[in-house]
Amino acid sequence: MATNELVAFREGWEQELKGRREENRLVCSPSSSSRDDPGRSGLRDGKPSLKLEDPGCSEKEGIICGRTASAEVEDQPQYVSIAHSLLDGRTSPLLDRIEKERTSRKRLYHNMSNMCTSSLQRQPQKKVKKEEELVDQLIQDLNEVNNIPFFDVELPYELALKIFQYLNCAELGRCAQVSRAWRVLAEDGVLWFRLCQREGYHQDASVSNSPCWKSTLRDCRSAARSVRSNWKNRVGSVSQLQFELGKILCSVSSCDSFVLAGYTSGDVRLWDTLHWDSTSSYLKSNSLSANTHRRPHVSHVQINSAVAAASYEDGCVDLWSTETGGEPIHHYQIAGRIQALGLSPDSPVLVSATGSNVRLDSANDCGYWRTVCETRLPKTVDSLTLVPNRVDQSPMVVLAAGEDVYLLNPQEEEPRTLHSVYGHPVTCLDASDTLAAFGVKRTGWAMHDGGNKIHVYSLETGKPAVCVGSSPGDFTCINLRDSPPHLLVCGNKDRRVRVFDLRSGSSVVSLYAHHLGVTSVQADEWKIVSGGGEGLVCVWEMRMGTKLWEMHNRHPVRHLRFNANTLLTANIPDDKSPRGACITDDDLTAHRRHRGVICHYNFSEDALSQDHVLPICRSDYTDSYGYNYNINLTVPYDRLSGSQPSH
């Protein structure tokens, strides 16, 4: 259709140009002197033609011809003048180019005035050909008018860089193809450094750390795609963090590359997963607990990048430095069993709760620990969490006690009540830097109003933000801190993992995951990892809602954390003193099935490497007994040649 319209347009234009040519021939008709001599100005093929006596024109004749040409230009249609303007470069954005084209046009006009007579005499058909080329050139210019650069002016480099910083990678690549000046701007190292940090790579780096941040970002993206493919296909290495003398695993916490574990023997072990060549650090307990005949069990452990904390059954709390380890740097004891222990993920702030008493400790600028706040709540504290990202501000603690949820700020006299409904206890709790979320168990007639709910409150105003969920089962775990923006992931006793959009309050994903209920869960932009009471760890793709793979271990999954490259899971037994298990140090194999296990998965490493194969798979079957696995790898008749097993 477009081709037919273009042909019709050209034909109409040619007809109009022919009509204008006939009118110009009438204007340029032979003079009276030429009529007397028909041989000099006669008709050729029945068409009038203007033939001059001399190829060169006199000054007077040149002026007359120039006026005739000027009249011809003035009488041209408007689209012809537009075509001349496009051919003369009037649409160029550069002023110097415009001046240059104007000068060239004036010079061309004078040359045409001087040579008009000879041109009309020698080549009468050249004008028609030129007008046809004019149509083609105009159409070509109209097609290319959108490709003319609009940003071809002189700007300071810093101002141009300020404009370019709002572009993404694809837009910078297009701009680099415009001109050399734009290419220099689009490949500036500061722009690509900011893009690299905007996508989450090298957050602690500076501009001078890499000679080419564009290549660095390309390598980071390539590595991220490879790791994502390994996540989906379960390609990587797996390691088990074991401490045989620790008896049964009680509590596990992790942060970055550190893993902290507490055992029923009272021992606390620290691993650094970035340095597997070094053995796990043994953190010594305080002298009071170390000198007791039967050391108390470890009840809770917490760790961040700077300090590690552990609480014991006798009410003692120890803190260690992750850099030095060894002896505790801070110790205190509270009368009674510690119900909950919390450590800030980004600052040296520790909170502990014994019954209804809450104690908040913090380290000053010199590293000395002191008690910042002590308070007492009306009910026993069930769970607590510290609000993250408050390094330069006063610490805040969210506590759940029965049916009440409190917000503790040391700068305020009394804890502030966020939520309180009689007969509706809080089952789980989590908090981000701006929001606090907790699951509420409804009873009685309240179950007819949609079932159990998750309430989300604003920490700044203390008002409800949104209420999500509608389930007959109790919510067992909530992860708001590590979830993507505006999303909340939670687990329920009804065997489902749910993801809610806090902006609309609707459910985004609902997955049937674990038949004994969900015990721990975490999600990022594209995947969900969940752990269940049956010991199963499942990895899901959020967009499709499909299970990618699963791993199983004995005992419930009580701790689960992952980042871009690694996954850490901890299967912690509920029974810390199993019946019939020997607790002497001589027979460790009797505890193998009861101890629990910590698994570390690394999806950025080669799974075929010998160092990343489980120890039981590396056995050469030459040992006479299985010390670590409680199995016999050889039997007596295997050592006798030609002997047969007895039946």
Side-chain angles (χ1 to χ4, degrees), residues 89-102 148-154:
R90 293 182 184 177
T91 58
S92 175
L94 300 177
L95 296 179
D96 55 347
R97 188 184 302 173
I98 294 175
E99 293 295 333
K100 184 177 179 180
E101 293 296 327
R102 285 179 179 175
I148 298 176
F150 67 94
F151 184 53
D152 202 2
V153 296
E154 190 90 19

Side-chain angles (χ1 to χ4, degrees), residues 285-295:
S285 60
N286 60 86
S287 58
L288 180 62
S289 299
N291 294 330
T292 57
H293 176 68
R294 183 164 182 169
R295 298 171 61 185

Side-chain angles (χ1 to χ4, degrees), residues 604-622:
S604 61
E605 296 183 357
D606 184 11
L608 300 179
S609 176
Q610 182 69 16
D611 296 336
H612 301 295
V613 179
L614 289 176
I616 192 173
C617 301
R618 294 201 304 264
S619 176
D620 54 2
Y621 299 96
T622 58

